[in-house]
């Protein structure tokens, strides 16, 4: 080895040593967040009538209440792009009770109120298959006209109260 090769070899060896001496380890902290609003569980999230309370007017010529209208509102977490999902609407309660001037109960017909939703009759024995007809925030929803039609009031009626309840169930 000549006298120039030795310092060059020593320099290369020192450089190789410095590469190992300057090696660094880096640790990266990784975090993630799960936004549950971006997951879809395919559920009906709300069913409501709007308005939810009605004051009825009597038609003195027919001795019954005039037809009343409200809207049924249905909201879901189903993406609006899903074309296959529909729902069934069940009537779970349709009760009415009339009272005389002394607040004594009168015999009130069980079918005092007929209910129509989106031009389809809704009864306790037959559910109605519905299609979602609107979207809200890119999610399926629905707004449906509800008409309440009334039969004859019991003789001597001074006050009548009633309640209507429905159940919505997805039909996949």
């Amino acid at each position: 080895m000549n006298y120039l090769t030795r310092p060059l070899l020593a320099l290369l060896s020192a450089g190789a040593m410095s590469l190992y001496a300057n090696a660094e380890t880096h640790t990266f902290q990784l975090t993630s967040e799960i936004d549950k609003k971006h997951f879809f569980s395919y559920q009906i999230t709300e069913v409501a009538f709007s308005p939810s309370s009605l004051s009825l007017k009597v038609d003195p010529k027919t001795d019954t209440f005039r037809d009343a209208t409200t809207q049924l509102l249905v909201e879901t977490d189903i993406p609006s792009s899903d074309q296959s999902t529909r729902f069934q609407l069940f009537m779970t309660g349709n009760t009415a009770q009339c009272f005389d001037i002394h607040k004594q109960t009168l015999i009130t017909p069980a079918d005092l109120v007929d209910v129509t939703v989106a031009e389809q009759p809704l009864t306790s024995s037959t559910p109605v298959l519905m299609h979602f007809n609107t979207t809200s925030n890119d999610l399926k929803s629905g707004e449906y006209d509800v008409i309440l039609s009334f039969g004859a009031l019991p003789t001597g009626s001074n006050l009548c109260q009633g309640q209507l309840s429905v159940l919505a169930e997805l039909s996949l």
Side-chain angles (χ1 to χ4, degrees), residues 21-159:
N22 289 332
E24 293 183 29
T25 302
H26 292 282
T27 303
F28 294 98
Q29 296 294 327
L30 300 176
T31 60
S32 64
E33 291 182 24
I34 297 175
D35 186 354
K36 290 184 180 181
K37 293 177 187 171
H38 290 99
F39 287 96
F40 304 106
S41 60
Y42 280 71
Q43 293 183 14
I44 294 174
T45 57
E46 185 173 358
V47 176
F49 289 103
S50 178
S52 61
S53 180
L54 300 172
S55 294
L56 305 174
K57 297 185 188 288
V58 175
D59 183 348
K61 293 178 185 175
T62 59
D63 199 29
T64 187
F65 291 115
R66 293 185 177 141
D67 287 358
T69 60
T70 186
Q71 280 214 313
L72 177 67
L73 307 174
V74 179
E75 293 183 10
T76 74
D77 67 355
I78 302 169
S80 60
S81 60
D82 182 321
Q83 299 300 316
S84 63
T85 306
R86 300 177 293 176
F87 71 98
Q88 289 188 20
L89 190 64
F90 297 85
M91 182 183 303
T92 57
N94 181 359
T95 59
Q97 183 63 61
C98 294
F99 304 89
D100 66 15
I101 197 164
H102 304 291
K103 297 186 181 179
Q104 297 297 311
T105 59
L106 298 172
I107 297 173
T108 307
D111 60 349
L112 180 65
V113 183
D114 288 327
V115 180
T116 304
V117 178
E119 300 179 359
Q120 299 180 69
L122 179 63
T123 65
S124 59
S125 61
T126 308
V128 175
L129 185 61
M130 307 287 292
H131 295 272
F132 293 101
N133 62 6
T134 60
T135 59
S136 175
N137 298 325
D138 276 339
L139 300 174
K140 286 184 168 286
S141 59
E143 296 178 5
Y144 310 95
D145 291 330
V146 178
I147 300 172
L148 306 174
S149 302
F150 299 88
L153 297 172
T155 304
S157 293
N158 186 57
L159 170 71

